[in-house]
Amino acid sequence: MITKVTITGADDSVTPLDLLTLSRRYPFVEWGILVSRNHSTDTGVNRFPSPVWLTTLYYMQMEHSKEIQLSGHFCGKWVNEILYGRDNFMTELHDMWEMFSRIQLNTHSEPHSTYPAECAELLKRLDKEIIFQIDNENNWLIDILGKAYDLNFSVLFDLSHGAGVLPECWPEPIPGVRCGYAGGLGPDNLEEQILAIEAKAGVKAIWIDMETRVRSGDDKRFDLDLVEQCLRVAERHVTVFD
């Protein structure tokens, strides 16, 4: 049972107001915002919005918090630091990290390590749902952090690592853990793949996440037409949303 649809990668090619407009039409949508120290340039880069854009989104979310859902998808050095319990991102992002109701740690299938106690203390201090990627390289974080320290966490099955490639088959959800599904989903295959995901998930509440296939062919533009095509398809499958 799909309760949420995450669309990831909105950037300076659209405006935060565009996201609010679509959120009002499709209240089950969550916008996954990619953030990284290395990509915090004045103009932003593909998929990573600029500081000015993020600031605009932050103030808009403060005013319309009941109308727009946001998750922060952390990448690069910030992820490494978080896993060691360091909160540098709080200072560098100022208060903007607070607009995210969920925090996703994008490990991108690169080996990571952690100081479990220090990291768990930081993640609990954030008081947000934490999403761990299931990428076949860092799956151990679920047990070492999520379960061992009783965190408020969920997992995203994402073997594509943002490359937009469908898996050979969708995995069954992890018992007792909220799960999301990503990898190669887009307007051309979404109906078929939702049915395949639902067949594995059964009545379990899940979410799906899309990124690469809602962008222009040259990857330079977050394509709102493709986004809305996906949301129209997903709407037929979302009966309860959170």
Side-chain angles (χ1 to χ4, degrees), residues 33-34 49-50 71 96 110 113 134 150 163 215 221 238 241:
I33 308 301
L34 292 162
S50 67
S71 57
M96 289 188 289
E110 297 178 1
S113 55
I134 295 292
D150 194 28
R215 300 190 66 80
R221 183 169 52 87
V238 178
F241 57 89

Side-chain angles (χ1 to χ4, degrees), residues 42 46 71 79 81 89 103 105 130 148 154 172-173 187 207 214 229:
D42 289 342
N46 296 351
S71 57
V79 173
E81 292 169 358
F89 75 91
I103 298 292
L105 303 181
I130 305 301
S154 55
E172 294 184 1
W207 82 94
V214 293
Q229 288 178 44

Side-chain angles (χ1 to χ4, degrees), residues 21 25 30 47 54-55 57 59 63 71 77 95 102 112 117 138 145 147-149 170 178 197 205 207 218 224 231-232:
T21 299
R25 293 179 199 160
E30 173 189 71
R47 308 188 190 204
L54 284 173
T55 301
L57 180 67
Y59 284 110
E63 184 176 354
S71 57
K77 293 180 180 178
D95 294 330
R102 305 202 293 171
H112 284 68
N138 300 283
L145 283 174
K147 294 180 179 179
Y149 290 88
W170 296 104
R178 189 180 185 195
I197 292 170
W207 82 94
D218 59 6
L224 294 173
L231 294 177
R232 286 199 197 104

Side-chain angles (χ1 to χ4, degrees), residues 59-182:
Y59 284 110
M60 188 185 75
Q61 197 272 344
M62 288 180 63
E63 184 176 354
H64 302 282
S65 60
K66 294 183 179 180
E67 297 183 89
I68 187 167
Q69 299 184 66
L70 303 173
S71 57
H73 294 204
F74 283 64
C75 302
K77 293 180 180 178
W78 277 338
V79 173
N80 294 328
E81 292 169 358
I82 290 171
L83 289 174
Y84 281 102
R86 299 170 188 153
D87 60 3
N88 308 53
F89 75 91
M90 290 182 171
T91 301
E92 295 173 44
L93 279 175
H94 305 288
D95 294 330
M96 289 188 289
W97 64 273
E98 295 180 358
M99 67 180 160
F100 303 126
S101 60
R102 305 202 293 171
I103 298 292
Q104 180 168 305
L105 303 181
N106 284 347
T107 46
H108 295 303
S109 198
E110 297 178 1
H112 284 68
S113 55
T114 184
Y115 290 156
E118 290 84 346
C119 179
E121 181 183 358
L122 170 60
L123 295 181
K124 286 187 175 183
R125 181 153 50 98
L126 299 182
D127 193 27
K128 298 179 184 296
E129 180 181 331
I130 305 301
I131 306 170
F132 296 110
Q133 277 189 322
I134 295 292
D135 57 12
N136 282 350
E137 184 64 52
N138 300 283
N139 299 7
W140 55 271
L141 290 172
I142 298 169
D143 294 317
I144 297 296
L145 283 174
K147 294 180 179 179
Y149 290 88
D150 194 28
L151 295 179
N152 174 18
F153 80 99
S154 55
V155 301
L156 178 70
F157 294 109
D158 184 14
L159 300 181
S160 175
H161 318 303
V165 179
L166 282 171
E168 293 183 6
C169 64
W170 296 104
E172 294 184 1
I174 300 172
V177 178
R178 189 180 185 195
C179 299
Y181 291 81

Side-chain angles (χ1 to χ4, degrees), residues 180-191:
Y181 291 81
L185 298 175
D188 58 331
N189 64 20
L190 191 57
E191 180 72 35

